[in-house]
Amino acid sequence: MRVRKLTLAAMALAAGLSLTACQNDDGTDETSAPPAASAPSSPDGGSASAGAGSAGADQEGGGSDSAGKSPAGTGGTGGATEDGKAAKCRTDELEITAIDATVGGDTEGTVAVDLKNGGGRDCTLAGYAGVDLKTNAGTLSAERTGEQADPVVLADGENVTFGITYPINDTGGSGVRITGLVVTPPNETKSVTLDWPGGASLPASDTPGSPVKVGPMGSAGQGG
């Protein structure tokens, strides 16, 4: 009887060892998987995988911006604009010249001042130019004629002309001697000084106001 009990105990022990060996051979992967490794945290506290997703979205957005928008401060082809219109002509962009345009028999002298756009872009001249005559008695400013002054858009290389009228000195006296012409383009503060191509002098006068008149852009004809 004792021998039978020992045999049964030995068989039970052998069966237990056999079961343990089978479990080790199969591996514990089938019965219990190891815990998943956590993703490393990004500096803002999110996971690395979330950060990668954000980067992809940012790159896509950047591509959309570059395809549909121009960088700030840049424009397309054509000249600089102001409110969708050609920007004003700057003094440095204009070639300004003056010639005597008096016709024989006229009661007044005329000087034609030409402004040519050399700025490489379209630009606008709107209103009257400033005109001052340098004389031996000081500076004499021309008065506007009061004619309507429509804006003039000049393409690069185009020009526009305005007129200056003044009384002819036929009194026989020396009058007021003119020594120079100063022209300031509309809406500009920088002036250009030119030789005066008209009559050498103005008749002396005690009449208030200026005897010299300036017309708007185009008042003396427009060239191409």
Side-chain angles (χ1 to χ4, degrees), residues 19-46:
L19 179 61
T20 302
C22 290
Q23 289 176 343
N24 290 337
D25 290 341
D26 293 340
T28 57
D29 291 340
E30 295 182 1
T31 57
S32 60
S38 59
S41 298
S42 62
D44 60 359

Side-chain angles (χ1 to χ4, degrees), residues 127-142:
Y128 286 74
V131 171
D132 297 295
L133 269 58
K134 291 183 175 182
T135 76
N136 61 338
T139 298
L140 178 64
S141 297

